[in-house]
Amino acid sequence: MKRVQTKPAPEIVQDAHHPLEHYFRTERLPHIWCPGCGLGTAMSCLAAAFGELNLDVDDVSVVSGIGCSGRLAGYMRPDSYHTTHGRALPFATGLRVALEKIKPGNKVVVFSGDGDLFSIGGNHFIHAARRNIDITVLCVNNFNYGMTGGQIGPTTPLGSRGTTAPYGTFEHPFNLPYLAASSGAPYVARWTTMHVHRLQRAMVEAISRHGFTFVEIIAPCPTNYGRRNGLPTGLDEMRYYRDKAVIKNFADPKDAEIIPGEEFIVGTFVDKEKPDYFEIYDKFVNEHLRS
Amino acid sequence: MSANEILAGEHFLNGDVACAEGAIAAGCRLFAGYPITPQSEITERMAYRLPKIGGDFLQMEDELASIAAILGAAWGGMKAMTATSGPGFSLMMENIGLGIMTETPCVIVDVQRGGPSTGLPTATSQGDMMQARWGTHGDHEIIAYAPASPQEMFDLTIKAFNQSERFRQPVLIMTDEVVGHMMERVVIDPDKIEIYPRRKPTVPYEQFLPFKGGSDLVPAMACAGEGYRVHVTGLTHDERGYPDLSVDSQHRLITRLLDKIRKNADEIIELEEENVHGADVVLVTYGITARTSLRAMELAQGKGIKVGMLRLISVWPFPTAAVHAIAGEVKGIVVPELNMGQMVREVERAAAGQTRVRLVPHAGGGLHRPEDILAAIEEVAR
């Protein structure tokens, strides 16, 4: 029998603090998310990314819309704004532009779900990407409206079931990396919550780039999506990602479609230099006014 | 703010431009808007002016985004405004509620046009008065002003900013196409402009409760990056700003949000009285309708009728006590409106059956003929 080397259990130290604790409103934990949900993993990755960037809590703001993902803003220590359904991006745009005057280079991270960002907020997404406003958008895509009980959304794969599609969806879903890339985003990546290190690295890259950066985070929702679609536990969905996710950097985002039962691409799709909103504003407006 | 950023002196301006200049004089440095008639002059003026004085202009993708952006800008530490007309005002209802719930200071201008729907894009109306009051869902109080001239567009826009900071909530300018487009003399004296600054926390982070009202029920505001790490949510929240979806928490929060306006209404309500004392008939008017009513009043006085006017400069909160007192002393009240009867309901409520209340309706698109208002005055005086 092969012996497995395990790490010794860490010693419990009284009054010790987790090295990332200062990024959390610990008094609000535990969170409301279901067992098996991917949101906790995504939140951990975000805190780890903040830590890796050595970001001061007061140098970043977190903005969310409505839904399960929208609740993240309330668990993180930075100034955080839990706005209305779909409107996280325009709120974040006003916040980011105003803050540039007071704290140039401050970070604004929008963390929200697929329904919030791409159904009710879809128009705001394409316009924020077009403007190339310096905001990082992290979209947890769990393929359904979890908070309201498992209705289908704009990313639900064709044929999947939800409470509003008892016979399976009959509408084509969005391919989010393709949508983000064709709207002009200079950084586009997709990972699942199984790829924690790569996801964390993508968040670090997205936050440190200038301009509109986008990371799709494919995450399990066993309670409302997996259960109805043959993947009843979080672990089942993680195994599915292990078996079907194919890492391929700089693939054509057109090929990033998600079809149930078939392999799908994860990786960095776009990572390029492109002048952001503030640079262009300076070039056209300020130069004109200076002359 | 330096005084040379204000358009000082005497100018010939239309109401929309005067509104934009009032905002700048009040310290507004971010405007987010979407083109719509008849307010486009406000948006265009801001696009021209703000970059020159270190401000920001954002043309957003729609009015949902415009109001969301100004709420975000307010939390980013700026004074911010948006302007629209009926169809866009309808879209803004959602985040007017967020502004009230999160106690976010900002100013929203509605240059009213005929509705419903696309209605009369280029012609006047006062058809959004009740939408202003009740358009967003849930219990709330509203602060709204109704300018009657370009000078008031300037002055009341400054006042709207001051009240939005004073009471920490969105304030509405409910004007109309005629006031927006009429050109008149506007006198701007920077020395006479008073600014109410944003109330900042006076205690350190550990002791700060961002949604605990002071003695006047209004909390101090810590913006992004100031070290107070505030959580702001449209959910029912406790004094820390954290979601608390209990019956008690809802009761406490909503009561405070209503009371901070209701108990301080005297600081908001602004009225202008003309010949009210001793009058047999009083006109209750607001905005452009006050000006058509002036001619009707002259005609009635020429016929020997004792007629006065109560002009509502602020329309919300409604001056119930003032109207109630007048109703006890007159034969009747006449309410001309560029709608089929909106504020008249408030006048009737305030009059409480003490006197006759006569509406002079107009579906919009033009102004009342003074003769029609005169006929109502004569009917009531009989």
Side-chain angles (χ1 to χ4, degrees):
Chain A
M1 200 176 86
K2 194 178 167 190
R3 281 191 62 183
V4 179
Q5 199 77 34
T6 54
K7 284 186 197 167
E11 191 189 340
I12 293 170
V13 182
Q14 285 299 319
D15 304 321
H17 292 276
H18 190 280
L20 297 173
E21 195 181 287
H22 59 293
Y23 291 120
F24 291 99
R25 297 181 192 274
T26 45
E27 67 275 25
R28 291 218 61 224
L29 297 172
H31 56 64
I32 61 164
W33 299 317
C34 305
C37 171
L39 278 162
T41 310
M43 185 163 73
S44 296
C45 289
L46 181 57
F50 286 167
E52 195 179 324
L53 288 162
N54 209 11
L55 214 54
D56 190 280
V57 176
D58 297 321
D59 290 341
V60 61
S61 301
V62 180
V63 183
S64 285
I66 295 296
C68 293
S69 307
R71 289 302 192 98
L72 174 129
Y75 299 127
M76 300 212 77
R77 184 61 81 194
D79 291 300
S80 51
Y81 303 93
H82 181 221
T83 65
T84 34
H85 199 17
R87 316 293 168 230
L89 264 169
F91 183 100
T93 301
L95 178 70
R96 180 69 186 84
V97 170
L99 272 173
E100 184 66 10
K101 291 282 192 288
I102 298 153
K103 296 186 88 176
N106 72 92
K107 303 292 183 190
V108 173
V109 175
V110 168
F111 188 103
S112 219
D114 48 289
D116 184 82
L117 282 164
F118 291 99
S119 190
I120 191 165
N123 194 38
H124 306 310
F125 181 88
I126 59 174
H127 286 278
R130 172 181 66 77
R131 265 178 215 119
N132 202 17
I133 185 88
D134 185 35
I135 288 172
T136 294
V137 178
L138 306 175
C139 173
V140 169
N141 180 5
N142 59 14
F143 308 106
N144 81 119
Y145 290 92
M147 183 69 92
T148 44
Q151 297 81 13
I152 56 153
T155 61
T156 311
L158 211 53
S160 296
R161 283 166 197 258
T163 56
T164 48
Y167 318 111
T169 55
F170 40 83
E171 292 181 13
H172 295 284
F174 274 137
N175 166 349
L176 299 185
Y178 187 32
L179 180 64
S182 47
S183 302
Y187 183 91
V188 179
R190 169 200 274 166
W191 296 100
T192 78
T193 52
M194 190 199 73
H195 302 89
V196 283
H197 296 293
R198 291 176 174 96
L199 176 57
Q200 180 185 326
R201 197 181 57 210
M203 288 177 175
V204 167
E205 287 173 355
I207 295 166
S208 50
R209 300 282 189 277
H210 290 290
F212 185 88
T213 56
F214 175 67
V215 182
E216 178 185 7
I217 305 159
I218 292 174
C221 176
T223 304
N224 277 320
Y225 181 74
R227 212 156 46 97
R228 296 189 173 93
N229 290 288
L231 299 164
T233 70
L235 192 59
D236 292 328
E237 290 195 55
M238 296 292 258
R239 287 190 175 121
Y240 182 87
Y241 303 157
R242 182 195 63 195
D243 296 341
K244 302 292 183 190
V246 178
I247 298 174
K248 196 174 166 193
N249 286 317
F250 302 103
D252 188 336
K254 253 185 223 165
D255 301 329
E257 283 188 316
I258 293 175
I259 299 162
E262 294 186 15
E263 289 185 340
F264 62 94
I265 301 172
V266 294
T268 308
F269 293 91
V270 182
D271 187 1
K272 63 180 184 193
E273 285 291 322
K274 183 179 176 182
D276 76 0
Y277 176 89
F278 296 115
E279 284 175 66
I280 302 170
Y281 186 93
D282 191 59
K283 184 173 186 312
F284 284 92
V285 181
N286 293 342
E287 265 185 28
H288 176 82
L289 291 174
R290 276 192 290 267
S291 64
Chain B
M1 182 184 58
S2 95
N4 60 14
E5 291 167 354
I6 299 174
L7 186 76
E10 285 189 36
H11 303 273
F12 190 55
L13 303 177
N14 79 21
D16 283 349
V17 171
C19 174
E21 290 298 335
I24 288 166
C28 172
R29 288 297 176 273
L30 188 141
F31 181 94
Y34 184 79
I36 189 169
T37 307
Q39 71 71 45
S40 292
E41 294 88 342
I42 301 178
T43 300
E44 288 166 357
R45 183 75 171 187
M46 288 307 232
Y48 171 73
R49 284 277 274 143
L50 284 173
K52 290 185 161 196
I53 54 172
D56 281 290
F57 169 82
L58 284 165
Q59 181 165 323
M60 298 304 289
E61 51 272 20
D62 55 30
E63 291 88 348
L64 301 163
S66 300
I67 185 163
I70 67 164
L71 296 179
W75 283 101
M78 276 210 189
K79 289 187 181 180
M81 182 169 94
T82 186
T84 189
S85 189
F89 196 51
S90 292
L91 292 184
M92 289 185 183
M93 290 301 135
E94 169 193 62
N95 270 348
I96 288 176
L98 182 67
I100 290 167
M101 194 62 151
T102 57
E103 303 183 64
T104 307
C106 61
V107 173
I108 299 143
V109 184
D110 178 10
V111 186
Q112 296 171 83
R113 65 191 227 187
S117 190
T118 313
L120 301 169
T122 60
T124 193
S125 156
Q126 292 175 321
D128 306 348
M129 301 307 294
M130 279 293 167
Q131 183 187 24
R133 178 63 188 88
W134 294 112
T136 195
H137 59 275
D139 281 310
H140 57 275
E141 286 290 338
I142 288 288
I143 303 174
Y145 290 93
S149 65
Q151 181 70 54
E152 279 197 344
M153 286 287 266
F154 181 86
D155 296 338
L156 292 178
T157 302
I158 296 173
K159 184 157 282 176
F161 271 98
N162 286 344
Q163 299 289 33
S164 80
E165 297 292 341
R166 167 73 185 85
F167 294 104
R168 272 194 64 185
Q169 84 161 30
V171 174
L172 311 179
I173 298 280
M174 297 302 295
T175 186
D176 76 291
E177 183 275 330
V178 172
V179 174
H181 285 159
M182 74 164 60
M183 296 195 70
E184 282 184 342
R185 192 173 80 130
V186 177
V187 182
I188 299 169
D189 180 356
D191 294 336
K192 286 191 178 154
I193 294 169
E194 284 178 31
I195 301 298
Y196 192 95
R198 188 159 293 181
R199 257 193 259 195
K200 308 309 293 183
T202 52
V203 294
Y205 163 60
E206 294 76 18
Q207 293 163 28
F208 182 56
L209 289 168
F211 292 92
K212 182 179 167 61
S215 57
D216 60 356
L217 306 175
V218 184
M221 185 171 181
C223 296
E226 292 179 354
Y228 285 90
R229 297 155 195 184
V230 177
H231 181 56
V232 176
T233 178
L235 283 168
T236 297
H237 45 272
D238 61 20
E239 291 177 340
R240 294 172 301 170
Y242 292 170
D244 177 355
L245 310 186
S246 66
V247 173
D248 280 352
S249 183
Q250 170 78 355
H251 177 77
R252 256 198 316 277
L253 176 62
I254 299 307
T255 304
R256 182 176 65 76
L257 292 180
L258 298 182
D259 281 351
K260 78 174 176 181
I261 306 301
R262 289 178 181 177
K263 292 191 171 169
N264 298 305
D266 288 348
E267 281 186 53
I268 303 164
I269 291 172
E270 198 169 327
L271 305 167
E272 188 180 77
E273 288 188 6
E274 201 173 330
N275 304 325
V276 166
H277 292 289
D280 287 332
V281 179
V282 167
L283 290 150
V284 175
T285 66
Y286 57 93
I288 190 61
T289 313
R291 296 180 66 161
T292 34
S293 296
L294 271 180
R295 178 66 186 147
M297 192 160 76
E298 282 173 13
L299 294 172
Q301 283 162 350
K303 294 190 171 199
I305 303 171
K306 283 195 262 178
V307 55
M309 193 195 302
L310 177 74
R311 179 165 77 95
L312 315 184
I313 296 171
S314 64
V315 279
W316 301 114
F318 189 78
T320 305
V323 173
H324 186 82
I326 289 169
E329 295 173 6
V330 296
K331 281 189 187 170
I333 292 175
V334 172
V335 186
E337 295 191 84
L338 291 177
N339 57 53
M340 301 307 275
Q342 296 194 15
M343 298 306 288
V344 70
R345 292 165 176 265
E346 287 296 293
V347 176
E348 283 168 349
R349 182 182 62 75
Q354 299 177 94
T355 191
R356 184 175 172 199
V357 177
R358 165 71 151 85
L359 166 72
V360 189
H362 190 304
L367 302 178
H368 289 91
R369 294 187 319 138
E371 295 74 18
D372 295 337
I373 300 171
L374 173 67
I377 294 169
E378 288 180 308
E379 182 193 312
V380 169
R382 235 174 261 136

